[in-house]
Every structure is written in C-alpha cells, then in structure tokens.
Amino acid sequence: MKSITLTLPYPLSANRYWKSFPLGKRLMTAPSQEAKEYKRNVVLIARAAGISSPILGRVQIDIQLYPARPQDWQTRMRTHGAGWDDSVRCIDLDNARKVLYDSLKGVAIEDDRWVRRDTGERMEPDGEPRV
C-alpha cells in the first residue's frame, strides 16, 4: 500500500475558498484567487516531496490540524489547564477537509470521490499553523 505524508500550510476556510459572481442571469460559484494560490502551494510542496502523480483509486486521508499558537499560550495554559487550547481560534475540521481534498485532487489523490476513509483531529497548537 502506497503512503504519502505531507505537511501543508494551514488551510483557508471553505467560506473564503469559494466566490460567487453574476454571469448573465445566473450566479456562478468558483474557487477564489486565494483558493487557487493555496492549491499552487500544495502542488509545489507535493512536487518537492517527490510526488509526481496522484494515488489512483481508493484512499484514506488522515488530517491533523494545528492552529496557530497564540502569544499568550502559557497564560492560557496556567488559567485553563489541559483545555487551554479550546479558546484558540481554529477553522472546523469539515471546512479544512473540503479545502484540502480540492487542493490534493489531481496532485496526491485522483479525486475526493475515492476517499473511502478519513480521520480528522484538531491538535494542540505547538507553533506555526499547519495541516
């Protein structure tokens, strides 16, 4: 079984991923410029990691979402204990999932329709935001 591990930039929210614009009498939706930039970064990272073609067919994707560690994290830890990171701003896993799948499509995976199993976990912030 082929396995790929990538560390990617923190994904943008699905709310910022899509933009709507009028096209005649219809409202069209397409990836935003920010979404296109994110996908370009994912492609560059994947190519640098030696990925030259996507995994074909069924895949499993495991996501570890690391929000940015705030400057006052030590104060939060002293005040709130083990749950200190509950107060850290973080996009939800479902938003992250959609953005990641779209960015990985045709790069590391053939298509998100082939995702047969996935897991997602919001991690304790330990430095730079990433996924």
Side-chain angles (χ1 to χ4, degrees), residues 76-121:
R76 292 183 194 205
M77 187 180 281
R78 280 192 304 275
T79 305
H80 302 291
W84 76 271
D85 58 327
D86 290 343
S87 66
V88 174
R89 186 176 173 188
C90 182
I91 66 172
D92 64 52
L93 283 167
D94 285 341
N95 273 341
R97 220 176 237 116
K98 184 60 180 157
V99 170
L100 289 170
Y101 289 2
D102 285 352
S103 297
L104 293 170
K105 179 180 176 178
V107 179
I109 63 172
E110 181 180 6
D111 192 280
D112 58 352
R113 75 182 187 95
W114 289 106
V115 177
R116 290 296 189 260
R117 183 174 198 269
D118 70 353
T119 64
E121 184 176 4

Side-chain angles (χ1 to χ4, degrees), residues 11-30:
L12 60 146
S13 169
N15 300 329
R16 291 187 357 234
Y17 190 87
W18 300 104
K19 70 172 186 169
S20 295
F21 57 92
L23 185 63
K25 293 184 179 185
R26 296 179 187 232
L27 190 63
M28 301 299 294
T29 302

